[in-house]
Amino acid sequence: MKTSDLLDLLLLAAIWGASFLFMRVGAPEFGPVTLSAVRVAGAAAFLLPIAWWHGHAGPLWQHRGRLLVAGMLTSGLPFLCFSFAAVSISAGLSSIFNATTPLFGALIAWWWLGDPPGRWKGIGLLIGFAGVLWLAWDKASFKPEAASTGWAVVACLVATLCYGIAASYTKRYLSGVPSLAVAAGTQLGAALMLALPGWWWRPESLPSPTAWAATLALALLCTGVAYILYFRLIARIGPANAIAVTFLIPAFAVLWGWWWLGERITGAMLVGAGVIFVGTALATGVWPRPPSRPAHTASSRVSSQSQCR
């Protein structure tokens, strides 16, 4: 990985980590639905002219139905869920739950695409979800006085489940479509999906300039610019390396939340985050493992050839 790629990776993690901070600022005044609607509408307005300039109007129209579904899964529902959670739990905790996305992605790929995890990936899934249970057990309370916290945790996990489904859906139905067209089309699809609900649940009073600034930062920086950075990284260093951003986002989100909002960092958060990161590293193959010994039997050679077809 070149120095420029590493800097892009850190910049992307810092931007996506800041998105949880901006949701924490904007959601109480806009409301989760309107905040998400404005976010995706702004991102679509930013990305669509760029996609058109690069000649991707044809793929956008050709795959409009599938892009609408992908937009709901990649942006509409997850943004709504995380915005809902931002009203009740800290930016750092939301970002740690967001790190479970590759775990759900691996499970959905196993169930839907017939891509079963190997031994190490299976162990990683178990470890990762153990970390989720640790955090959820510590934070998710459905007692009347703290029910909002419990539902916020559920919302975060629903969001990451949507991301996991979206990864397999995109791989199955949108493979070969230019990445910039997918980015712009999904944001447009999410904007169409949330337009009426966002208007219906709009805030009664005009949000403050601070809330507007946070929302515009979400739309233009954390969604529009971030997508361009992410797809550029995939093109340069490949998806397996680009996914490393998942491990860096919570560090920045916790830092921004502590620095700007004075959010408390607890021992349970650190332990749960560590367990989730170890499990995710194993489940995604990022964790370095010693190479397996080459097999020399005839049966193993036949097995290897059948797997390569």
Side-chain angles (χ1 to χ4, degrees):
M1 188 182 298
K2 297 179 181 179
T3 302
S4 60
D5 297 328
L6 181 59
L7 291 175
D8 277 355
L9 194 71
L10 290 172
L11 177 60
L12 180 61
I15 290 173
W16 271 343
S19 68
F20 294 93
L21 167 69
F22 294 138
M23 282 187 284
R24 190 88 166 118
V25 173
E29 294 191 42
F30 274 92
V33 181
T34 303
L35 176 68
S36 303
V38 175
R39 176 180 181 178
V40 293
F46 177 81
L47 288 169
L48 282 171
I50 299 175
W52 177 83
W53 179 261
H54 285 82
H56 297 323
L60 279 169
W61 179 254
Q62 181 182 356
H63 300 280
R64 58 191 181 278
R66 290 174 176 175
L67 287 170
L68 180 64
V69 175
M72 177 185 68
L73 293 171
T74 61
S75 299
L77 288 176
F79 290 174
L80 181 58
C81 288
F82 277 123
S83 296
F84 171 80
V87 178
S88 303
I89 62 176
S90 69
L93 185 58
S94 292
S95 70
I96 292 171
F97 282 119
N98 180 65
T100 63
T101 295
L103 302 179
F104 281 111
L107 282 179
I108 297 299
W110 181 12
W111 170 72
W112 192 0
L113 303 180
D115 184 15
R119 181 181 63 177
W120 281 105
K121 289 188 176 183
I123 293 172
L125 289 172
L126 292 176
I127 293 174
F129 283 109
V132 174
L133 288 176
W134 169 272
L135 276 178
W137 191 270
D138 180 65
K139 293 294 181 182
S141 174
F142 293 94
K143 296 179 180 179
E145 65 273 14
S148 60
T149 302
W151 288 115
V153 171
V154 171
C156 288
L157 295 178
V158 170
T160 54
L161 175 61
C162 288
Y163 285 144
I165 297 172
S168 291
Y169 181 89
T170 302
K171 182 177 181 180
R172 183 162 187 171
Y173 296 112
L174 293 171
S175 293
V177 181
S179 57
L180 184 56
V182 174
T186 52
Q187 295 310 302
L188 177 59
L192 293 174
M193 183 193 83
L194 291 176
L196 287 179
W199 175 259
W200 183 263
W201 277 290
R202 65 190 185 277
E204 295 181 359
S205 58
L206 189 66
S208 67
T210 301
W212 270 108
T215 304
L216 291 176
L218 273 173
L220 303 180
L221 180 64
C222 299
T223 310
V225 173
Y227 263 115
I228 294 174
L229 275 175
Y230 183 58
F231 287 123
R232 186 169 72 180
L233 276 171
I234 289 177
R236 289 182 177 176
I237 64 177
N241 288 320
I243 203 173
V245 72
T246 304
F247 304 96
L248 300 173
I249 291 172
F252 281 100
V254 169
L255 175 63
W256 301 146
W258 168 77
W259 182 268
W260 294 105
L261 301 178
E263 293 182 347
R264 184 166 165 260
I265 303 172
T266 66
M269 287 173 61
L270 295 177
V271 172
V275 174
I276 289 171
F277 297 159
V278 170
T280 303
L282 286 171
T284 57
V286 174
W287 189 273
R289 299 190 298 272
S292 58
R293 296 179 180 178
H296 297 287
T297 62
S299 60
S300 63
R301 285 196 298 269
V302 171
S303 176
S304 298
Q305 290 169 359
S306 66
Q307 290 173 358
C308 292
R309 285 203 295 266

